[in-house]
Amino acid sequence: MTETMAVVALSNDARRERISSLLVRYPELQGSELEELIDFYKTAPPIETALLTCEENVAAKARQFLNEHAKATSRGLEAPLVVVVFVLLAIVIMFALAFHLPA
């Protein structure tokens, strides 16, 4: 299992390096490279995107990219949907406890 985690970490590092190199060149990118950046920001875990902003030579370009492509990189309903699911789950648990606990 540790070996698998190491491979995933290495893969994430390589992907982040690739994205970092694209951001340094932004906005002088080819169409497929721009799509690669958009896909990264739509699918990468938030920690991966946050790590990019820690790199001095990348942070300003990352902000510029996100400002210029805010709509394309939006995750849409993902975050609000998670909140709704948690609220509904909490309500179900409260009802279950209310009707199954002796008074």
Side-chain angles (χ1 to χ4, degrees):
M1 183 158 157
T2 305
E3 188 175 314
T4 303
M5 289 172 52
V7 170
V8 169
L10 189 61
S11 160
N12 287 345
D13 289 344
R15 184 177 185 207
R16 196 170 50 252
E17 275 297 315
R18 168 73 177 151
I19 296 303
S20 178
S21 71
L22 291 176
L23 285 169
V24 167
R25 292 183 20 237
Y26 182 80
E28 289 87 29
L29 299 175
Q30 297 176 2
S32 62
E33 293 171 325
L34 183 60
E35 288 301 317
E36 188 177 349
L37 272 180
I38 291 170
D39 182 59
F40 174 80
Y41 275 96
K42 286 185 83 161
T43 61
I47 187 71
E48 293 293 320
T49 59
L51 287 172
L52 286 170
T53 63
C54 296
E55 299 177 31
E56 272 185 49
N57 61 332
V58 175
K61 292 286 191 152
R63 281 191 302 275
Q64 179 187 358
F65 169 77
L66 289 172
N67 284 337
E68 292 174 4
H69 299 279
K71 196 173 209 173
T73 57
S74 170
R75 293 182 185 235
L77 293 175
E78 183 178 305
L81 186 59
V82 169
V83 172
V84 168
V85 168
F86 278 119
V87 169
L88 290 175
L89 185 60
I91 291 170
V92 167
I93 291 171
M94 288 185 341
F95 274 108
L97 290 173
F99 290 110
H100 289 95
L101 292 177

